[in-house]
Amino acid sequence: LSQQEYIGFDSIRNISSVLNQFAAKRIFLVTGTSSYYISGAHNLLKEYLSGHNVTRYCEFSSNPKIEDVIRGIGCFKSAGCDAIIAVGGGSVIDMAKLVTIFAENNINPVEYIKKPPKKVKRNLPIAAIPTTAGSGSEATGFAVLYIDKKKYSIENSSLVPDVAIIDPGLMISLPKYLTAVTGMDALCQAVESYWSVNSNEESKAFAAESIRLIKANIVQVVNTPDTISRQAMAEAAHLSGKAINITRTTAPHAISYPLTSYFGIPHGHAAALTLPAMLEYMAGVNDKDLLDARGCRYVRNNLTEICCLFGSKEIIETKKKIEDIIKAVGLETRLSRLGITSEKDIQTVIDNGFDPDRVKNNPRRLTREALREILESIN
Ligand SMILES: [Fe+2]
């Protein structure tokens, strides 16, 4: 079943008809602690929520941790809700998806990870309202969960929210740094989706449009935001979510997880760090390390298409363009300046950056030696 989408300024008002359609009486509202107010969501939603019994869950940190999910499940169960609304960034939307699925199926998250059940049901409807233009979580059947610094990706089509409301008005107040890191997350997702071994015509169309929009708007939205660039980035992030929902992400995302959990680098920044070098690495694909069944020529063609989307003809120039974007949005590009200073630190990233489910989506096999070279090139 396809998702209902509302996109554009003021689209948050559609929550009124959505709540009618859900026939919701008791709402489980998952939000950020302060972003819910700062984004303006609280003010806009209160008239629509006033006739409902609302239980708000917001006491958790970013990058959902198991303790927070378990607490959320308890809260969810005692509230006895009949619909879920998530308002926030990727972590908030992931949290809402996780709590709902574990509570409804009465399964402990650790048990789920050990042995994912064959059948997962979800009867209660979820509406997701992002307040950042980044993860695209409102469009995906994935949710990230951390247990003791280790990242797990929960994947299930029943995690895709029934409704996504993408209102760039909620993103106007996003600070510069958050705008930059979330925008870079969307860019990484779109590029990784484009070169993923799982890509198809549909995912490539989503990813291409996402890349086009981000290339044209990210520097503007970070440095001199206006309504046009906010709207473009909101759409682009949603499209990147739709793209990775088909293809999943690849190496830059795999490597981002230890950079986030061990060194505290925000997700989008962490993914962006290796994206330029990874593009160059992908271009060296050969018959021995090819992972895409469609062949080396197909992969190289894909990479050329990515270059075109960046308005460039060849790999090194595109690599430079992506590096320039990262710098222009004010993000550090060197690991050594982000707290990854020793050989031991690099080893931590290598030891934990090989999420097999992500790396296998790369068109070119990534070896530990190659990853070390990439990390050293940005040290
Ligand atoms: Fe991401």
Side-chain angles (χ1 to χ4, degrees):
L1 247 138
S2 68
Q3 182 182 54
Q4 259 180 69
E5 300 165 289
Y6 302 93
I7 304 180
F9 279 92
D10 263 348
S11 58
I12 195 169
R13 302 203 176 279
N14 290 290
I15 196 69
S16 168
S17 60
V18 168
L19 287 175
N20 280 335
Q21 179 197 327
F22 286 178
K25 289 193 180 63
R26 306 174 75 90
I27 293 162
F28 192 66
L29 178 67
V30 186
T31 73
T33 350
S34 52
S35 71
Y36 186 55
Y37 295 93
I38 297 167
S39 64
H42 169 74
N43 255 330
L44 289 160
L45 286 176
K46 66 181 178 213
E47 64 168 294
Y48 305 110
L49 295 177
S50 62
H52 301 79
N53 190 317
V54 177
T55 301
R56 180 169 169 228
Y57 183 56
C58 65
E59 296 298 316
F60 52 89
S61 53
S62 57
N63 308 316
K65 289 170 195 63
I66 183 118
E67 301 79 13
D68 296 330
V69 174
I70 288 171
R71 210 153 24 82
I73 294 168
C75 184
F76 183 100
K77 284 184 173 169
S78 57
C81 292
D82 48 23
I84 298 93
I85 302 180
V87 188
S91 295
V92 169
I93 296 172
D94 280 8
M95 177 64 74
K97 296 197 260 189
L98 291 169
V99 167
T100 306
I101 214 81
F102 293 136
E104 270 207 65
N105 292 276
N106 212 4
I107 183 164
N108 179 291
V110 179
E111 294 301 314
Y112 184 103
I113 287 162
K114 268 193 213 145
K115 195 172 179 284
K118 282 200 182 68
K119 268 218 154 109
V120 177
K121 60 164 191 197
R122 181 168 65 79
N123 296 318
L124 300 181
I126 303 180
I129 309 177
T131 56
T132 63
S135 72
S137 174
E138 76 285 354
T140 75
F142 319 136
V144 170
L145 169 63
Y146 283 89
I147 305 178
D148 298 333
K149 288 194 193 283
K150 197 167 162 21
K151 172 252 173 193
Y152 295 87
S153 188
I154 313 285
E155 245 187 76
N156 197 290
S157 58
S158 67
L159 288 174
V160 181
D162 307 85
V163 174
I165 301 179
I166 294 100
D167 187 335
L170 301 177
M171 301 160 194
I172 300 263
S173 62
L174 261 189
K176 182 172 167 158
Y177 180 69
L178 259 183
T179 303
V181 296
T182 50
M184 285 311 300
D185 183 20
L187 182 63
C188 292
Q189 291 177 176
V191 171
E192 290 178 52
S193 176
Y194 205 96
W195 72 35
S196 166
V197 302
N198 305 314
S199 70
N200 60 25
E201 288 311 310
E202 190 187 20
S203 71
K204 283 166 81 173
F206 292 144
E209 183 58 13
S210 180
I211 294 170
R212 256 185 236 114
L213 286 168
I214 296 170
K215 181 193 167 265
N217 291 280
I218 192 166
V219 177
Q220 170 103 32
V221 81
V222 170
N223 296 311
T224 42
D226 57 5
T227 53
I228 293 170
S229 56
R230 285 287 181 204
Q231 164 99 20
M233 289 302 293
E235 279 175 40
H238 186 58
L239 284 165
S240 81
K242 290 168 75 131
I244 60 165
N245 196 41
I246 296 170
T247 63
R248 294 169 182 60
T249 55
T250 65
H253 262 68
I255 300 158
S256 81
Y257 297 112
L259 293 171
T260 297
S261 62
Y262 289 88
F263 302 97
I265 304 170
H267 172 64
H269 190 181
L273 283 167
T274 57
L275 187 72
M278 203 59 77
L279 174 69
E280 190 181 358
Y281 178 73
M282 296 305 177
V285 66
N286 58 68
D287 288 327
K288 286 197 200 88
D289 55 25
L290 173 75
L291 292 183
D292 194 317
R294 295 166 292 195
C296 283
R297 253 185 73 184
Y298 179 87
V299 173
R300 284 194 207 102
N301 234 333
N302 258 357
L303 298 173
T304 305
E305 285 166 17
I306 292 174
C307 292
C308 283
L309 290 165
F310 282 94
S312 145
K313 285 201 182 65
E314 47 93 46
I315 298 289
I316 297 302
E317 189 191 347
T318 311
K319 180 189 178 195
K320 172 87 171 44
K321 285 197 175 204
I322 299 174
E323 287 167 346
D324 289 346
I325 289 175
I326 302 174
K327 288 178 189 152
V329 299
L331 298 182
E332 181 54 59
T333 55
R334 296 269 148 202
L335 296 177
S336 55
R337 304 184 65 167
L338 290 162
I340 297 131
T341 48
S342 64
E343 174 51 32
K344 195 176 138 260
D345 292 343
I346 297 272
Q347 197 56 49
T348 301
V349 179
I350 295 172
D351 289 344
N352 297 283
F354 257 82
D355 179 346
D357 288 339
R358 294 283 163 279
V359 171
K360 74 172 199 291
N361 301 329
N362 259 4
R364 183 182 183 193
R365 180 179 293 115
L366 183 67
T367 60
R368 292 173 76 91
E369 298 72 51
L371 176 54
R372 177 177 297 278
E373 259 179 52
I374 287 169
L375 294 172
E376 276 162 6
S377 78
I378 55 167
N379 202 9

